Amino acid sequence: MGKQFRLARGEDVSAPILILGGSGKTGRRLAKQLRKQGAVVRIAARRIEGPESARFDWSDTATWDGAYKGARAAYLVPPPRGGDASAAMIAFVKQALDAGVKRFVLLSASLLPAGGPGAGRVHQWLSESAPEWAVLRPSWFMQNFTEGVHLDTIRDESAIYSAAGDGRVGFVSAEDIAACAASVLTVDRAPNADFVLTGPEALSYDNVAARVSGVAGRAIAHQRIDAKALAKRYEAKGLPAQAAMVLAAMDGMISAGAEDRTTGAVRLLTGRDPVNFEAFALAEGVVWQRYPAGRLGVG
């Protein structure tokens, strides 16, 4: 499929591709990659930040029409901060279909099958009702260590906290996820399938800590804690209690081996191998320095 990467035949190339979650880890990278391919994008966000933006709020249906109107495809990202928004997402897709949007690509998660909770329900609906669709189910993001939950503790405490034990994860780069999304949004024929996206190797958090240490220039420890303690840490960072519990419980699934796998989906969709953790760390690991510009360090 990667070799077929081009705008779909017969499509109006001036019609935008809608990106929900356009300021998120994958959305902003997807927008950049699509623009390089010559596609027009429309970023949907709570605040309008440019001529290519449309105000959008999952909880305000009055904003939906302005997001999907005139679009030819849409990248669907569940709203942040947890909670089950599947009903709202399905309602949005129904309206967008009626308005002429042809293709939908959903960002789900590797542990969420069709029919599962949250995005799994949207996945099931798309597979049964949408004429053109794809679902991307990435493993855990490499960017969780550079712009996500682990960044502050690496930088300020020289530590990575998890309840995953010795469990391994096929960490995948958000750049690769975005490249896969760009492919399935624009390829001639919609795949009408789901894809589990991983990096090239499964790593434990001990493995990750060792590799981060090599780039950060100091020892980074994997601090093994239980799921309850991890949930409390997530709550302290502002995550709602229920979402914090669910996220921490996923570490238990990792510990049991649920994420210990790799797939060839990135190569299938993009025509190239996914980035490995060493290359990712060298490219983005400057943020692990203890004294980043404009910030007081600790210790």
Side-chain angles (χ1 to χ4, degrees):
M1 183 174 291
K3 294 181 179 180
Q4 297 175 331
F5 183 79
R6 55 186 179 273
L7 297 177
R9 293 172 185 162
E11 290 287 351
D12 177 4
V13 295
S14 66
I17 294 175
L18 172 64
I19 302 176
L20 302 180
S23 61
K25 291 185 183 70
T26 63
R28 68 177 186 271
R29 290 173 169 88
L30 172 59
K32 183 177 180 180
Q33 293 186 30
L34 286 173
R35 290 185 186 112
K36 285 184 177 179
Q37 295 293 328
V40 178
V41 301
R42 178 185 296 155
I43 305 298
R46 292 196 175 197
R47 292 186 300 175
I48 296 177
E49 299 182 355
E52 294 181 325
S53 298
R55 193 175 82 82
F56 178 81
D57 187 335
W58 281 112
S59 63
D60 183 1
T61 58
T63 66
W64 291 6
D65 177 78
Y68 61 64
K69 187 176 182 180
R72 59 187 175 90
Y75 180 63
L76 307 171
V77 179
R81 314 304 288 177
D84 187 347
S86 58
M89 295 184 72
I90 291 169
F92 175 86
V93 174
K94 288 179 178 178
Q95 290 187 21
L97 270 172
D98 289 342
V101 180
K102 294 182 178 180
R103 186 174 301 186
F104 300 88
V105 174
L106 171 67
L107 180 69
S108 184
S110 55
L111 295 180
L112 275 180
R121 295 190 180 96
V122 185
H123 179 170
Q124 186 70 38
W125 190 92
L126 289 172
S127 69
E128 295 173 348
S129 307
E132 297 186 20
W133 63 278
V135 176
L136 302 180
R137 296 170 53 202
S139 185
W140 295 71
F141 292 18
M142 292 180 182
Q143 278 74 12
N144 288 346
F145 300 99
T146 56
E147 54 188 81
V149 65
H150 299 299
L151 172 58
D152 286 345
T153 62
I154 291 172
R155 192 163 53 190
D156 300 340
E157 303 177 44
S158 297
I160 298 170
Y161 292 84
S162 94
D166 293 319
R168 301 196 305 171
V169 178
F171 293 102
V172 61
S173 170
E175 292 285 353
D176 286 331
I177 300 168
C180 290
S183 176
V184 293
L185 281 163
T186 61
V187 72
D188 285 354
R189 180 177 296 180
N192 291 0
D194 70 294
F195 304 90
V196 175
L197 308 179
T198 74
E201 59 183 333
L203 302 171
S204 69
Y205 279 90
D206 283 351
N207 298 148
V208 170
R211 297 180 191 198
V212 172
S213 298
V215 174
R218 64 186 190 280
I220 306 298
H222 172 210
Q223 300 289 353
R224 298 172 179 230
I225 60 178
D226 62 28
K228 185 176 180 180
L230 187 61
K232 287 183 177 179
R233 293 187 65 88
Y234 290 149
E235 283 190 66
K237 290 180 176 292
L239 202 63
Q242 183 63 32
M245 290 175 58
V246 170
L247 191 59
M250 288 183 178
D251 268 26
M253 299 173 74
I254 292 172
S255 179
E259 290 280 14
D260 191 354
R261 59 180 165 177
T262 60
T263 73
V266 171
R267 169 165 278 281
L268 174 68
L269 296 177
T270 68
R272 59 170 176 75
D273 291 330
V275 67
N276 61 43
F277 196 90
E278 286 86 352
F280 160 78
L282 288 172
E284 302 192 27
V286 66
V287 297
W288 297 325
Q289 298 304 311
R290 194 186 293 273
Y291 303 110
R295 179 189 174 103
L296 294 176
V298 176

